[in-house]
Amino acid sequence: MSREARFRLFNTLTGAVEPVIPREPKHLRMYGCGPTVYSYAHIGNFRSFLTADLILRTAQALGWKTTYVSNITDVGHLSTDDTIDPSGEDRMARALRSKEGERFPNVWDLARYYTDAFLQDWDALGLLEPDVRPRAIEHVRELIQAIEELVAAQLAYETSLGVYFSVPGFADYGKLSGNEKASLLRNAARDVVVDTEKRDPRDFALWKKDPHHLMQWHSPWGWGFPGWHIECSVMAQIYLGDEIDLHTGGEDLIFPHHECEIAQAESLTGKPFARHWAHTRFLQVEGRKMSKRFGNFLRVRDLLGSHAAQEKNLALRMALISGQYRKPYNFTRATLRDAGVHIGRFKRARDIIQNATDSQHSGRDNLCDLLRNTYRHALHAMADDLNTPVAIAAALSGTKSILENGYDLSAAAARSAKTFLDQIDALLGVIPQSPAATAEPGESQAASAVGGNGIDVKAVERLIGERRKARARKDYARADALRDEILALGVELHDTPSGPKWRPKTTL
RNA sequence: GGUGACGUGGCCGAGUGGUUAGGCAGAGGCCUGCAAAGCCUUGUACGGCGGUUCGAAUCCGCCCGUCACCUCCA
């Protein structure tokens, strides 16, 4: 077994960094808690999904097979308190009444709309597709069955408001979050109405009776809708089996959501639900908690470029993974700009490689060993609790070695360089495609979507032509004036050995 | 109040009992008609106070600060 085959991750369950040991060797079965689609996703949501993405990529880079399930929560996520009692309102229903939600005729349309928006963000940020992306509303039958089983096993009971999981019947409750005692819940400040029929303050809702709810199904307990926690544990078990290898989510999900998942799943099967739990810390924006109140609430789509702006999207991805997932991370405008610079560097390496591979330069391959070691270093860092900062440093260091060669790169070295970038891309997902695969600004932009940025491509090219003539006759005053005009059109111009090139002005 | 995490140079962020993280910004240089872009070189550091140690930014204690969960949030 090579030394990279060891993949270590912090395990919330044990509080230690431990090797990830799939039940079936080299086959990782992973469940990642997905979004509740009541609004557009923000960058914090995606920091968490990116952690799962990087785990997958690292496992695959180690040669493992992966089965990844990530859900969409489109019903049942209560907006107030689903730990104590089911009197909370469903998030989806509340969203429909909000200002943003007014335009939707019903909650089903709202769910569909934000699900689609979420998938667009997912795609733009280059996350790997899950093998299954189950939706809660498509699994209500299985949810009801699971609740029935729990009731039959005396692990759940019905009240006039709903069906509760009975926490005292599950001895391991609290093993994930440390919130073991009912008294802790009682001590916490609460102003919610407690269902007096509840037998233990920790009991949580599996089913909420609500004949007026906008999304409701018929059940043995009448009309209503399922609780949030039961959705994830049931869907995970449907697609991944009773015992899964790894379960991920944001740190806020440790309690109550994941604690409750464990209680339900393990009560049903008598087996350990997930062997390993990985939680992503919340990020901060400009040094403070992300909040609408502070004006630093950033939705993914606000930061994405147009559909053609691959580099800008990768910059956002890069910025979001440039801190280790388990440490507080401060997302700033400057970070995003820096990430854009790095993406540009990867892009230039791609350009150089493209050139060299096509050339007949028959020099020796001076990069092979160096880049192989650099990649190994990056992979090793990722396998060590997802140390993205070190992995990114390695990616940049290898890229620097490629760029040092400039256009003197031999065809053989270019092949090594291409292998390196492809490997890094598979691992981190931050390397732009080679120019052949995308339109290259400055060369064939007339046909590309650069015009979609609001840039008048024809005008730019006409001005560049004029400037070229002015420079040829050494009329530099005129040439500089033309350059200013071009800049005013939102384009930056670079004179290169192979002639002037332009690209949309970077405004990160 | 309970529990946990973190505090690194102008900024972002690794690491670690003695040996360069990396990046951005700054400075110098190469290139350029001038620029820009690019490339090369480069300075500054480990919250405070004690303790352990030959040696601590790294371990321990206390203090200060920030953040998180316990209550909707990824």
Side-chain angles (χ1 to χ4, degrees), chain A residues 20-29 64 240-246 271-276:
Chain A
V20 178
I21 304 173
R23 296 187 71 233
E24 179 189 327
K26 296 200 161 198
H27 181 175
L28 182 68
R29 289 183 174 83
W64 296 8
L240 293 170
D242 289 348
E243 298 175 67
I244 68 180
D245 298 315
L246 180 60
K271 303 174 197 163
F273 176 42
R275 302 157 73 89
H276 212 114

Side-chain angles (χ1 to χ4, degrees), chain A residues 486-501:
Chain A
I486 292 165
L487 193 62
L489 290 172
V491 164
E492 51 185 53
L493 191 65
H494 313 298
D495 292 327
T496 74
S498 54
K501 291 201 175 192

Side-chain angles (χ1 to χ4, degrees), chain A residues 171-433:
Chain A
D172 277 344
Y173 187 83
K175 71 177 174 181
L176 184 71
S177 64
N179 295 332
E180 296 177 1
K181 297 187 180 131
S183 60
L184 283 177
L185 282 175
R186 286 203 198 90
N187 292 346
R190 287 170 191 282
D191 53 13
V192 295
V193 180
V194 176
D195 181 351
T196 51
E197 295 177 62
K198 257 173 67 168
R199 299 176 188 168
D200 187 285
R202 297 169 298 174
D203 293 351
F204 55 89
L206 298 168
W207 186 264
K208 185 182 175 183
K209 296 181 182 179
D210 185 354
H212 305 296
H213 192 63
L214 297 161
M215 289 175 153
Q216 55 172 301
W217 292 263
H218 190 63
S219 78
W221 317 282
W223 289 95
F225 63 94
W228 176 37
H229 311 311
I230 194 75
E231 296 176 4
C232 281
S233 58
V234 167
M235 290 192 288
Q237 292 183 315
I238 290 172
Y239 295 105
L240 293 170
D242 289 348
E243 298 175 67
I244 68 180
D245 298 315
L246 180 60
H247 194 130
T248 66
E251 61 172 331
D252 57 311
L253 298 184
I254 296 170
F255 187 89
H257 187 52
H258 287 163
E259 194 70 73
C260 295
E261 281 191 49
I262 290 173
Q264 297 155 350
E266 299 192 356
S267 296
L268 280 172
T269 66
K271 303 174 197 163
F273 176 42
R275 302 157 73 89
H276 212 114
W277 291 82
H279 293 99
T280 305
R281 279 209 69 158
F282 277 9
L283 54 70
Q284 292 179 261
V285 174
E286 305 292 350
R288 346 179 44 169
K289 177 175 176 157
M290 184 165 71
S291 155
K292 283 175 181 164
R293 190 156 56 93
F294 298 145
N296 63 352
F297 189 88
L298 298 175
R299 303 183 308 182
V300 169
R301 54 191 44 226
D302 297 331
L303 297 171
L304 289 176
S306 67
H307 59 289
Q310 184 204 18
E311 289 174 53
K312 194 167 178 186
N313 296 347
L314 288 179
L316 179 56
R317 179 186 168 95
M318 178 88 148
L320 287 174
I321 68 171
S322 61
Q324 203 247 8
Y325 77 102
R326 211 153 58 73
K327 286 203 170 178
Y329 177 69
N330 185 12
F331 182 94
T332 64
R333 231 54 201 188
T335 315
L336 184 56
R337 193 196 57 229
D338 295 353
V341 172
H342 295 147
I343 299 299
R345 192 164 299 170
F346 294 139
K347 181 76 163 40
R348 281 193 300 285
R350 281 277 199 220
D351 290 348
I352 284 179
I353 291 167
Q354 183 76 21
N355 253 298
T357 317
D358 297 344
S359 81
Q360 299 300 311
H361 193 316
S362 58
R364 61 186 204 86
D365 182 356
N366 60 331
L367 289 175
C368 181
D369 291 344
L370 177 71
L371 292 182
R372 190 179 294 164
N373 285 330
T374 306
Y375 171 68
R376 200 172 289 161
H377 187 59
L379 178 56
H380 194 256
M382 290 301 283
D384 181 18
D385 203 21
L386 298 188
N387 194 334
T388 44
V390 167
I392 288 170
L396 288 170
S397 152
T399 303
K400 190 170 173 180
S401 305
I402 296 168
L403 292 171
E404 276 170 3
N405 283 265
Y407 287 91
D408 290 335
L409 208 61
S410 72
R415 281 192 291 276
S416 290
K418 182 174 186 311
T419 301
F420 174 76
L421 288 189
D422 288 347
Q423 286 176 319
I424 289 291
D425 193 36
L427 186 63
L428 300 174
V430 292
I431 312 292
Q433 291 305 305

Side-chain angles (χ1 to χ4, degrees), chain A residues 2-48:
Chain A
S2 68
R3 80 194 152 93
E4 293 94 352
R6 205 171 150 82
F7 185 7
R8 288 155 38 90
L9 275 181
F10 185 85
N11 185 357
T12 309
L13 205 50
T14 59
V17 177
E18 297 181 335
V20 178
I21 304 173
R23 296 187 71 233
E24 179 189 327
K26 296 200 161 198
H27 181 175
L28 182 68
R29 289 183 174 83
M30 178 167 109
Y31 186 88
C33 275
T36 301
V37 285
Y38 63 97
S39 181
Y40 292 112
H42 59 251
I43 60 175
N45 297 121
F46 268 90
R47 164 139 137 122
S48 175

